[in-house]
Amino acid sequence: MEFLNGQFEREDIFFGEIVQLLSNFNWIYKSRNTDILADEILNCIPKSWIPIFQLNCLDNIQMAIKGESKSSWPPDLSDLVSRCWRLSLRIDSSRKPEVISKWKKVNPKKIHEVLNFAQLIGEKCAEKQIEHVVDIGAGLGYLDKELSNRWDLHVLGLERDAYRVLAASQRTCSDTKENTANRCRSTFKELAVKAENSLEDQIESVIGDWFDELEAEHESAPLLCMIGLHSCGDLSPVMMKLFMNSRRFRTLLLVSCCYHRMEWKKDLLADENFFPLSSSLKNASHIVPFHQQEGIQHLFRLAAQETPNRWMQQNTVNCQLQAQHTFYRSIIQLYAATENIQLLKRQRRPVKTHNISDVFEEYVDQVIDGFGLEGDVAGHREKLVNIYRSNAHLLPALETLIILQALFQPVAEALILVDRVVYLKENGLSASLRQIFDDRISPRCFVTIAEKPESP
């Protein structure tokens, strides 16, 4: 497994080590950060770790991200740092991020993703002599337009959002000099959100109609490449299974995201369960009862956070401000649990991060209004301030927890992505992971590549 930092001869060894690590340190991810005080998570942190991992200790954090440690660190902390590095995906952040302005009103992150992903897709299709591409979750069609204009590929973009289908179609068919020669090469169609037919049947039907509409000479069963950029939650495993079951597709290029939207069922053998997928991870999960632990959903959320390299781009002041907000918010949650109060948000963000004051009492006033705490307002305020004063000494421990979570993020993402690659291999496909984006620009920087064996 060349994409891992460690040397693992077999997948089962990798999975065995990673589930053991996650089982031993379940407290790092098992609770939402708003619940860390209510669940007494900060008491799990060894006290000797706290002075070493603080948000203003940038040298220590940088060393830990690289899998390094100082001789003065506690042996158990050094061991944890080393294991996190070994079990993470290898990310190359040595190149300088490019600054490109290609389309108006399109952010640099999207441009970076479209150009780099289109390059890989175009090269793969040329290598496999594929001329037709199906993009599932095409969005506004920037990627498909690039594939048709630059790589002369016929692209079918499928999307559930009718507005995006219309916008992508209008952009592709606009009377610009760039589009005139290739306007027929990109087609966008809507997939029904709710339908009696399965997703697989819908896609097969739409592809058949697409071929009829091309009105061009092509094979009766041309080779297809399936692609997905930002395939959210369970869409990635759904696409993988569709790829394996359909004879039309030969190559799959998939960039996954939003792991926190994955559903989780404790029954490892359930057909509708999309994690774990591989038999290798399922077997490791039986040996170490990792799959039975609470908080797997929060592990998914941890995997979906920024990579350590991107997280480190923030300045120390902003990191500390965010930590303070998390700490304050956890006090509110502890109060709600203690008083059996249901917090009801009056708006999406009851308290804006940029409005946070260093004075907790001022924060409380915003909370009382933002959550609409009813009854004795003065009583709420007094109790919240007392809880804050009783727990204020734990703020340094929270900073330590945030840093530990940053170290565990690439481990959690590796678990999900390697499980998918191994699953594809177990089903007779050639499969691998490749870094496609600069993670400082686009944190979900890996593409899953799968290819079916050549027909005899």
Side-chain angles (χ1 to χ4, degrees):
M1 295 192 289
E2 68 283 356
F3 40 80
L4 291 168
N5 295 309
Q7 301 298 315
F8 297 96
E9 296 180 1
R10 301 191 312 271
E11 288 86 354
D12 60 330
I13 298 176
F14 167 75
F15 286 135
E17 287 195 24
I18 200 169
V19 298
Q20 185 68 64
L21 176 70
L22 294 173
S23 295
N24 291 346
F25 293 94
N26 172 256
W27 52 268
I28 290 179
Y29 62 84
K30 74 175 184 179
S31 296
R32 296 179 304 173
N33 278 355
T34 53
D35 292 325
I36 55 174
L37 291 178
D39 295 344
E40 300 183 345
I41 297 300
L42 300 181
N43 294 331
C44 299
I45 303 175
K47 289 183 172 52
S48 59
W49 295 10
I50 296 175
I52 297 169
F53 277 178
Q54 293 293 287
L55 292 174
N56 60 357
C57 300
L58 296 182
D59 290 344
N60 290 350
I61 299 173
Q62 288 281 20
M63 288 186 67
I65 289 174
K66 297 176 182 178
E68 302 170 354
S69 59
K70 297 179 180 178
S71 58
S72 58
W73 292 8
D76 54 350
L77 178 57
S78 297
D79 179 65
L80 175 63
V81 166
S82 175
R83 292 169 70 187
C84 286
W85 170 252
R86 276 173 38 81
L87 295 166
S88 299
L89 297 174
R90 181 180 290 115
I91 293 180
D92 178 13
S93 295
S94 59
R95 57 188 178 185
K96 293 183 178 180
E98 73 274 26
V99 179
I100 301 174
S101 178
K102 183 176 176 65
W103 300 294
K104 293 181 179 179
K105 298 182 180 180
V106 180
N107 64 56
K109 176 177 178 288
K110 172 61 72 175
I111 296 174
H112 174 78
E113 292 168 345
V114 167
L115 296 184
N116 282 277
F117 198 24
Q119 177 80 21
L120 176 62
I121 295 167
E123 291 173 352
K124 277 291 180 182
C125 287
E127 175 189 334
K128 299 296 180 179
Q129 297 183 324
I130 296 175
E131 298 179 354
H132 298 78
V133 175
V134 177
D135 182 6
I136 299 179
L140 295 175
Y142 288 101
L143 174 61
D144 303 333
K145 185 168 176 282
E146 182 73 9
L147 291 172
S148 62
N149 290 349
R150 182 179 177 187
W151 296 93
D152 295 328
L153 292 166
H154 293 283
V155 186
L156 172 62
L158 302 179
E159 174 62 49
R160 288 187 168 182
D161 188 329
Y163 167 77
R164 293 185 176 185
V165 173
L166 178 62
S169 299
Q170 290 175 340
R171 183 182 299 105
T172 301
C173 295
S174 61
D175 293 327
T176 64
K177 186 175 181 180
E178 177 186 11
N179 288 333
T180 302
N182 295 299
R183 65 170 61 184
C184 295
R185 289 185 176 272
S186 294
T187 303
F188 299 91
K189 293 186 178 293
E190 182 181 356
L191 285 177
V193 177
K194 294 181 180 179
E196 295 180 0
N197 295 335
S198 67
L199 178 64
E200 182 177 345
D201 291 338
Q202 288 184 60
I203 292 176
E204 291 284 352
S205 176
V206 173
I207 290 174
D209 294 340
W210 176 49
F211 286 153
D212 293 337
E213 294 170 4
L214 287 177
E215 296 180 355
E217 293 183 3
H218 56 71
E219 304 173 42
S220 57
L223 299 179
L224 290 177
C225 174
M226 180 190 295
I227 64 172
L229 176 59
H230 299 317
S231 300
C232 183
D234 289 330
L235 178 58
S236 285
V238 167
M239 289 175 61
M240 289 164 52
K241 292 191 176 185
L242 173 62
F243 173 73
M244 292 190 298
N245 293 334
S246 175
R247 295 181 180 180
R248 294 183 183 272
F249 296 102
R250 306 298 300 178
T251 301
L252 171 69
L253 298 166
L254 178 64
V255 178
S256 302
C257 72
C258 300
Y259 308 121
H260 61 287
R261 295 185 178 178
M262 294 165 52
E263 292 188 13
W264 164 248
K265 300 178 179 64
K266 288 187 177 181
D267 183 3
L268 296 181
L269 301 179
D271 292 336
E272 68 276 14
N273 199 5
F274 293 134
F275 180 85
L277 287 169
S278 68
S279 297
S280 183
L281 181 52
K282 289 178 182 178
N283 292 335
S285 298
H286 279 303
I287 297 172
V288 178
F290 158 77
H291 65 283
Q292 296 177 353
Q293 294 181 350
E294 297 297 327
I296 297 298
Q297 298 92 330
H298 302 309
L299 179 66
F300 297 159
R301 181 169 293 278
L302 182 59
Q305 291 181 3
E306 296 178 326
T307 64
N309 289 324
R310 182 176 169 90
W311 176 70
M312 283 295 293
Q313 287 184 306
Q314 302 179 80
N315 61 51
T316 302
V317 173
N318 285 342
C319 288
Q320 290 175 327
L321 179 64
Q322 186 60 52
Q324 184 185 47
H325 176 246
T326 301
F327 188 66
Y328 284 0
R329 181 64 180 82
S330 65
I331 289 173
I332 307 305
Q333 203 70 25
L334 175 60
Y335 175 63
T338 303
E339 299 290 327
N340 196 25
I341 295 174
Q342 184 178 4
L343 297 177
L344 299 175
K345 297 180 181 179
R346 286 185 170 178
Q347 51 194 1
R348 183 171 176 269
R349 297 195 176 198
V351 180
K352 302 281 193 303
T353 304
H354 63 270
N355 288 335
I356 293 177
S357 168
D358 289 334
V359 180
F360 180 74
E361 287 81 353
E362 295 180 6
Y363 177 86
V364 168
D365 291 337
Q366 297 181 58
V367 165
I368 291 174
D369 179 63
F371 282 106
L373 296 181
E374 299 178 350
D376 184 4
V377 173
H380 288 312
R381 195 173 190 276
E382 181 181 1
K383 291 177 181 178
L384 282 165
V385 170
N386 287 337
I387 292 177
Y388 167 71
R389 290 172 178 169
S390 299
N391 291 276
H393 66 285
L394 293 174
L395 181 56
L398 172 60
E399 291 193 12
T400 303
L401 179 65
I402 289 173
I403 296 168
L404 291 173
Q405 289 176 343
L407 295 179
F408 265 67
Q409 183 281 324
V411 177
E413 186 167 17
L415 178 68
I416 294 170
L417 293 181
V418 175
D419 172 52
R420 293 174 179 177
V421 168
V422 173
Y423 169 72
L424 292 167
K425 288 182 176 181
E426 290 174 349
N427 282 274
L429 305 181
S430 170
S432 62
L433 288 171
R434 181 189 300 184
Q435 183 184 350
I436 183 79
F437 307 134
D438 187 316
D439 72 305
R440 294 163 296 183
I441 300 174
S442 180
R444 304 287 76 80
C445 60
F446 286 94
V447 56
T448 301
I449 304 173
E451 295 172 331
K452 293 178 180 176
E454 298 290 340
S455 302

